[in-house]
Amino acid sequence: MSKVEEFEELRPLLFSIAYRILSSVGEAEDAVQETWLRFDGSATRPASTKAYLSATVTRISIDVLRSARVRREEYVGPWFPEPLLADPYEDPARSAELADSVSMAALLLLERLSPLERGVFVLREVFGFGFDEVATAVGRSQEACRQLLVRARRHMQAGRPRFEADRQERQELATRFFGALRDGDVGRLQDLLAQDAQLVGDGGGKAPQLAQAVVGAVNVARLLGSAFPQLLQIGGTFEPHEVNGQPGALFRDRDGLVLHVLVLEVLDGQVQTVRGVINPEKLGHLGPVADAWAIDRELRHARRQLTARRPNAFWTSEP
């Protein structure tokens, strides 16, 4: 098997490792490309190509993460991972770990870890690498890696919800939720939301976004139930889609350009959190991106016209 063939066979694994460390599709793809360049430039073939490439992409990702964390500290508003519609790596023996580790909730928990803890946790806990391979990848002793893993597990377990929904329950709830969203049915939306539900948006200062999180089932239902029917009225569309292994939807403008992504976090039979990613810099890998500012202006104009015709109508973006 040629170098190219070996690398392409392992590319899905390498991307999946890098994405979980970096929470960025673009940065993960760059890390994989840099891994190829180093592999291609090596004069010798490693005893285990999988171990060599996995260690290389991990070290590159950890280095990138160290600088990325500084940028994230200066980020405007809430920061969320770049949405991933499909994880390219599959392993039936570790399907549960893989699905759980790619969710936005899990990736946000991983943000609490140091870069080394994150690398160790991803390799050992998610992908099941041996401690000898993990130690080689992060440049620490096996004992040090065990200690890093203990700390990482402690942080991750402390932030996990007590009750998690199974896949079928999540999907059934999401179907009802997006049906109510399409109809603008505030009452149905409120019934599906937890009492302390939150709506949080990531625009990064690059697109219209909520000034702060909207909290409470009533407030979240009112905002969603008024805003999204307006988007549909000016030609917008949305398609339910699994996002980071969780139920979600991809929204487009009238020309089919990507506008934003919504992801639902379902706990104990209700929607606990609705996360929106509208920062165009995080959506480019999904296709050509819409001008969210132009859409916002069009929606505001439509609301003003409606208000002029029906002064008592409820059309507000604030709960």
Side-chain angles (χ1 to χ4, degrees):
M1 185 181 293
S2 69
K3 269 190 171 184
V4 172
E5 290 171 330
E6 280 189 288
F7 185 83
E8 289 303 321
E9 186 175 273
L10 291 165
R11 181 187 286 273
L13 170 63
L14 303 179
F15 173 85
S16 294
I17 291 172
Y19 178 76
R20 285 164 174 81
I21 294 175
L22 293 166
S23 294
S24 165
V25 173
E27 289 177 345
E29 290 174 342
D30 289 345
V32 171
Q33 182 61 25
E34 178 62 26
T35 300
W36 159 250
L37 293 175
R38 296 188 188 184
F39 181 48
D40 186 46
S42 174
T44 60
R45 297 289 281 269
S48 169
T49 302
K50 178 182 176 181
Y52 170 82
L53 293 177
S54 299
T56 301
V57 80
T58 298
R59 287 195 294 271
I60 292 170
S61 298
I62 287 174
D63 287 343
V64 173
L65 181 60
R66 288 190 174 111
S67 60
R69 286 166 75 93
V70 175
R71 296 196 302 274
R72 291 173 191 176
E73 290 174 358
E74 301 171 350
Y75 196 80
V76 177
W79 178 94
F80 295 153
E82 288 186 11
L84 182 69
L85 299 190
D87 187 358
Y89 179 70
E90 297 180 0
D91 181 354
R94 305 193 66 81
S95 58
E97 293 90 341
L98 290 169
D100 179 65
S101 65
V102 83
S103 72
M104 283 208 174
L107 291 173
L108 287 170
L109 284 177
L110 282 171
E111 284 292 306
R112 302 180 182 183
L113 308 183
S114 71
L116 278 179
E117 288 171 345
R118 192 161 179 164
V120 169
F121 184 88
V122 167
L123 287 180
R124 176 63 182 174
E125 201 77 351
V126 179
F127 293 95
F129 281 81
F131 274 110
D132 56 338
E133 297 170 306
V134 175
T136 299
V138 302
R140 296 291 188 273
S141 68
Q142 291 191 41
E143 182 56 34
C145 289
R146 293 178 190 278
Q147 293 174 3
L148 287 166
L149 182 62
V150 168
R151 292 201 297 270
R153 282 173 174 166
R154 188 182 303 126
H155 285 299
M156 295 295 288
Q157 290 169 359
R160 289 188 187 281
R162 291 180 58 194
F163 304 103
E164 297 190 27
D166 63 35
R167 187 181 184 89
Q168 182 175 350
E169 179 186 357
R170 289 200 309 262
Q171 202 53 55
E172 290 174 353
L173 184 59
T175 298
R176 298 200 301 273
F177 182 89
F178 286 114
L181 187 66
R182 181 179 285 108
D183 297 339
D185 191 325
V186 175
R188 281 163 56 201
L189 286 170
Q190 185 176 332
D191 290 341
L192 297 171
L193 290 159
Q195 286 302 306
D196 58 348
Q198 293 189 55
L199 169 63
V200 192
D202 174 353
K206 309 290 185 180
Q209 66 187 76
L210 296 168
Q212 58 187 8
V214 178
V215 181
V218 174
N219 294 330
V220 173
R222 287 175 64 195
L223 179 53
L224 292 177
S226 64
F228 285 99
Q230 295 174 58
L231 177 63
L232 300 183
Q233 287 172 5
I234 64 169
T237 62
F238 74 89
E239 55 211 54
H241 203 296
E242 190 170 86
V243 181
N244 287 77
Q246 305 295 310
L250 181 64
F251 289 74
R252 300 179 185 275
D253 71 0
R254 65 168 61 87
D255 298 317
L257 303 179
V258 176
L259 181 59
H260 64 89
V261 169
L262 279 189
V263 188
L264 307 183
E265 185 175 306
V266 178
L267 298 174
D268 200 21
Q270 292 182 302
V271 176
Q272 183 67 50
T273 307
V274 182
R275 304 186 196 277
V277 180
I278 195 169
N279 183 344
E281 294 181 353
K282 294 187 175 184
L283 301 173
H285 61 284
L286 303 177
V289 180
D291 183 345
W293 294 110
I295 298 295
D296 184 61
R297 289 192 295 271
E298 187 173 355
L299 288 171
R300 289 175 184 274
H301 178 68
R303 285 197 293 270
R304 285 195 297 270
Q305 287 187 320
L306 180 63
T307 302
R309 294 196 302 270
R310 297 168 55 195
N312 296 322
F314 173 74
W315 291 91
T316 176
S317 60
E318 296 297 332

